[in-house]
Every structure is written in structure tokens, then in C-alpha cells.
Amino acid sequence: MLRKHPSRDYYTTLAKKLGLFSRAAFKLQYVQRRYGFLKPGDKVIILGSAPGGMAQLAAKYVGPQGLVIAVDVKPQNFKIADNVVNITSDVFDPEVTKKIKEALKGELADKLISDLASNLTGIREVDIPRQLELVEAALRIAGELIRKGGGIYLKLFESPEVKNVEDRLRLIFQKVKRIVPTATRKHSSEIFLLALNKK
Ligand SMILES: C[S@@+](CC[C@H](N)C(=O)[O-])C[C@H]1O[C@@H](n2cnc3c(N)ncnc32)[C@H](O)[C@@H]1O
């Protein structure tokens, strides 16, 4: 069973203290510190970006020459930074890639982060397939919009399907790694796949 977790914990408190919009920011910080995932000047797409903690840090990591395209079905009606563009869209909307392409002004993106998650029911048979549909949407968008040499950081829940997604990523990217950021809650089945150097 996938558990729901109490909202208050160390990272929630720390996020608040540091003025970050969400504890999710630390899941990006983790991969940034270990792998230098985002580079100055990168154009990065974040799917599932609200309330915005990851976008706040991504904006800093890519710097003023970079661009963060923050996509969420929930409206994000506030300016995170000058180099962040908010797009309110469902990732299943066929128009979503068109909207992201417009923000990219015809160029491809360097990186994609998918932190997409539906509200958990706690029923594995419901939550896992829903999460996998979100993963497929993220992979479709990445397939179309990430440049050669680019990378993705993708959230999933532990299930036998993770291996399948990992194998597919290995065909497309030179390096694929399973990551469990320290900010992932103790009993969560959340994991991330980091895929680098698109072939
Ligand atoms: C874990 S939260 C993301 C936290 C965020 N990365 C941050 O840094 O604050 C998951 C997000 O996925 C979004 N989401 C879920 N299904 C979606 C969909 N079909 N299209 C777009 N966004 C979706 C939710 O609205 C929610 O904001």
C-alpha cells in the first residue's frame, strides 16, 4: 500500500525557513549537488511544478541566461523569477507541447524534470497505473523536446514497471541511475530515474 504522510517534517520546516515554496525543492537540490544536473544557461522544463520549490532552485541553477518552463495543471499565478515561464496545462492535453515549444522559441530544451503526481488514494492498484500514465506523458514530451546530449529527472513509484521504464531509458540515454533523494519521505515508495546524455 502507498502511504499518505503527515505534512509536517524536517524538510517542510526547512523549506519554510528558507523561503522555498515546497519541500520538493530538496529533491532537485539532491541531484544537483551529486550530479550537477542543471548547468548555467540550461533551458529546463518542469512538469508538475506547483507550488514551485523546484522551479525556484532551478531558476538559480540555470541563472539569468537560462530558462525554466514550469508546467502544472494548477494555476501558478505568481512570478518565481524573471527566467521562469509558467504554463497552466494538463500534461495529457495535446496542446501542451505546442505551448512549451512557444516558450522555447523554436529551440529544444536541455533538461526535463517530471515531478508529476496525482493525489494518492493509498490503493496501489489505482495509484501505480495513474503514476505510470503521468510517466508516459512525461516521456512523450521529453522525446519531442529534449535535445541530443540532454537529460531527464523523472519521478515514479516503486513497482515492477520501473525496470521497464529504466530499460527504455537506457536505449535513449547513455547513463541511467535510480535515485532516492534524502527528502523523499521514509516510508514513501517514490523513486526518481536520472537519465543523462541523450543519444
Ligand atoms: C508533488 S507535486 C509537485 C511539486 C513541485 N515539483 C514543486 O517543486 O513544488 C505534483 C504536481 O503534479 C501536478 N499534476 C498532477 N497531474 C498533472 C497533470 N495531468 N498535468 C499537469 N500537472 C499535473 C499536480 O497539480 C501537482 O502540483
Side-chain angles (χ1 to χ4, degrees):
M1 177 164 143
L2 298 177
R3 299 192 196 179
K4 292 182 172 188
H5 301 286
S7 60
R8 292 280 143 205
D9 68 359
Y10 171 76
Y11 285 104
T12 309
T13 309
L14 188 61
K16 213 168 172 193
K17 208 165 148 187
L18 297 176
L20 293 166
F21 296 137
S22 61
R23 66 195 300 293
F26 298 108
K27 300 175 191 176
L28 175 59
Q29 185 190 61
Y30 183 88
V31 84
Q32 185 66 20
R33 287 191 172 164
R34 276 168 183 72
Y35 301 96
F37 178 55
L38 299 179
K39 309 277 186 248
D42 269 358
K43 294 180 174 59
V44 53
I45 302 163
I46 305 181
L47 304 176
S49 59
M54 282 185 172
Q56 276 176 295
L57 285 192
K60 277 194 194 155
Y61 298 150
V62 303
Q65 306 304 319
L67 175 68
V68 178
I69 302 171
V71 182
D72 205 290
V73 72
K74 285 184 200 146
Q76 307 162 88
N77 297 325
F78 50 87
K79 189 100 188 132
I80 289 182
D82 286 343
N83 57 350
V84 180
V85 172
N86 291 335
I87 295 179
T88 305
S89 178
D90 193 310
V91 291
F92 298 116
D93 180 343
E95 294 284 298
V96 70
T97 37
K98 194 174 143 215
K99 290 179 189 169
I100 300 172
K101 271 182 187 167
E102 277 167 17
L104 285 167
K105 297 193 170 78
E107 290 184 46
L108 292 175
D110 302 286
K111 309 280 162 56
L112 180 140
I113 297 166
S114 173
D115 195 30
L116 290 163
S118 316
N119 291 333
L120 293 181
T121 64
I123 303 164
R124 202 178 160 79
E125 293 69 25
V126 175
D127 292 330
I128 298 284
R130 272 194 196 162
Q131 177 65 17
L132 288 170
E133 282 173 19
L134 291 171
V135 166
E136 290 304 328
L139 291 178
R140 267 197 304 278
I141 295 168
E144 211 174 316
L145 296 180
I146 299 302
R147 70 163 170 86
K148 190 170 180 233
I152 68 174
Y153 186 45
L154 179 72
K155 174 153 91 180
L156 298 100
F157 291 132
E158 270 295 4
S159 80
E161 281 305 307
V162 172
K163 172 82 173 60
N164 177 19
V165 176
E166 203 176 345
D167 289 346
R168 282 163 57 200
L169 288 177
R170 283 189 201 287
L171 298 175
I172 306 165
F173 293 87
Q174 276 171 12
K175 189 171 172 186
V176 180
K177 245 188 121 42
R178 286 187 188 209
I179 308 271
V180 181
T182 39
T184 287
R185 290 183 167 111
K186 228 179 180 174
H187 301 291
S188 172
S189 55
E190 169 186 278
I191 66 156
F192 284 78
L193 291 176
L194 177 69
L196 300 172
N197 294 330
K198 191 176 179 202
K199 295 174 194 170

